[in-house]
Amino acid sequence: MNQIQTIFIVDDDPMQAMMLQDYLSKYSTISIHVFGSGEECLKNMGLNPQIIFLDYNFDLVGKDAMDGLDILKEVKKLAPDTEVVMFSGQDKIEVAVNTMKYGAYDYIVKNESAFHRSENVIFNIIKRLKLTQEAKLYKRLTMLLGIAFLAMIVLIAILYSKGAISSNPGWY
Amino acid sequence: MERITDLTFLNTFAGGNKDKMKKYISMFLQLCPNSLTNMKTSLESENYDGLRAAAHALKPQISYMGIKAAEPLIKALEHHASTKTELDKLPGMLTEFDGLCRKAMEELAAEIA
């Protein structure tokens, strides 16, 4: 869990938000922030959340409130690396597909298994983060090796041109 | 009298912690009456989007409190309000749903008393 320091829960249903916060609070190293609207979430993006659990519907906030899809788009604009997991009471496949199209990492239906699924999603995101970090490390190592090899060729060429080494080292 | 709430999920979720269960039940008892009022006023004013929104928001809570008999009703209320179909059935469905919720709230209040 060390890779995840900050999680946002954005939901206008206080009970859902509180239950998810309680469920995830067993991971004491993670700082969990709860917001009742998308606007509040966007104002606090400076806290650099790695994961946002975002409700799809914000009907209870008011008619002018941003809906989940609008918030998802804004989050992805502001912080493309932040993973957004959509939460909804709807189990319609087209809603899920639509959220994925706009960059949601996963879609969870609000029911009794939602909390366990949220935990699994966090584990999957951590696995992905580890793989990304490893890939970055290998890329850097490959680059370093390439530079070292190139430097060696250049050095040999310089030494050769100055006669410090010859094509016949006289070893035999 | 047969119970209409099943707290198996909530008990497992709270890990048997009575204080946590009390916290969730108290929150439901606080939120549910408002949701029912919203649903009723929305229906009375033929604001079907409002009815759909209120039903949609209450649906997970009904599931967490184990009010199994009310689950198909709230799903149907949300569906018919959303599609604006079988509108004549909505008042009867809402009355039945309201009755189940009131009974569930009595049981839950007794649970945490």
Side-chain angles (χ1 to χ4, degrees), chain B residues 81-92:
Chain B
S82 171
T83 55
K84 297 181 178 58
T85 51
E86 299 185 46
L87 299 176
D88 55 319
K89 288 185 181 168
L90 288 177

Side-chain angles (χ1 to χ4, degrees), chain A residues 12-16 18-20 22-23 25 55-57 59-60 63 87-92 109-116, chain B residues 9-10 13 20 23-25 27-28 31 38 47 49 52-54 56-61 63-66 68 71 75 78 82:
Chain A
D12 59 351
D13 175 354
M15 191 163 161
Q16 181 75 30
M18 185 175 70
M19 287 175 79
L20 183 59
D22 282 355
Y23 192 78
S25 65
D55 191 15
Y56 184 79
N57 288 92
D59 297 320
L60 299 180
K63 277 189 174 176
F87 256 97
S88 176
Q90 298 182 59
D91 50 7
K92 289 180 186 165
V109 177
K110 285 181 185 177
N111 58 26
E112 292 173 10
S113 63
F115 306 99
H116 183 61
Chain B
F9 164 74
L10 206 62
F13 182 85
K20 268 192 182 178
K23 181 170 79 167
Y24 302 136
I25 291 172
M27 195 156 211
F28 176 76
L31 295 169
N38 281 345
N47 173 9
D49 286 335
R52 181 205 56 77
H56 180 80
L58 187 58
K59 196 170 61 176
Q61 295 171 23
S63 161
Y64 302 151
M65 293 299 136
K68 307 278 182 207
E71 284 183 38
K75 279 183 190 166
E78 184 190 4
S82 171

Side-chain angles (χ1 to χ4, degrees), chain B residues 4-78:
Chain B
I4 63 157
T5 56
D6 176 1
L7 296 177
T8 310
F9 164 74
L10 206 62
N11 193 30
T12 310
F13 182 85
N17 183 324
K18 296 283 172 204
D19 288 336
K20 268 192 182 178
M21 279 189 72
K22 200 172 173 176
K23 181 170 79 167
Y24 302 136
I25 291 172
S26 301
M27 195 156 211
F28 176 76
L29 292 175
Q30 192 191 325
L31 295 169
C32 188
N34 286 340
S35 300
L36 292 172
T37 307
N38 281 345
M39 289 170 80
K40 272 187 224 163
T41 51
S42 297
L43 183 62
E44 278 162 14
S45 56
E46 296 183 1
N47 173 9
Y48 299 112
D49 286 335
L51 174 62
R52 181 205 56 77
H56 180 80
L58 187 58
K59 196 170 61 176
Q61 295 171 23
I62 295 295
S63 161
Y64 302 151
M65 293 299 136
I67 315 169
K68 307 278 182 207
E71 284 183 38
L73 272 172
I74 196 160
K75 279 183 190 166
L77 278 163
E78 184 190 4

Side-chain angles (χ1 to χ4, degrees), chain A residues 2 28-29 40 42 45 93 97 100 102 105 114 134 144 158:
Chain A
N2 288 342
S28 55
T29 55
E40 272 184 82
L42 294 173
M45 284 302 289
I93 188 76
V97 169
M100 304 293 223
Y102 288 105
Y105 180 85
E134 278 174 15
L144 279 174
I158 292 168

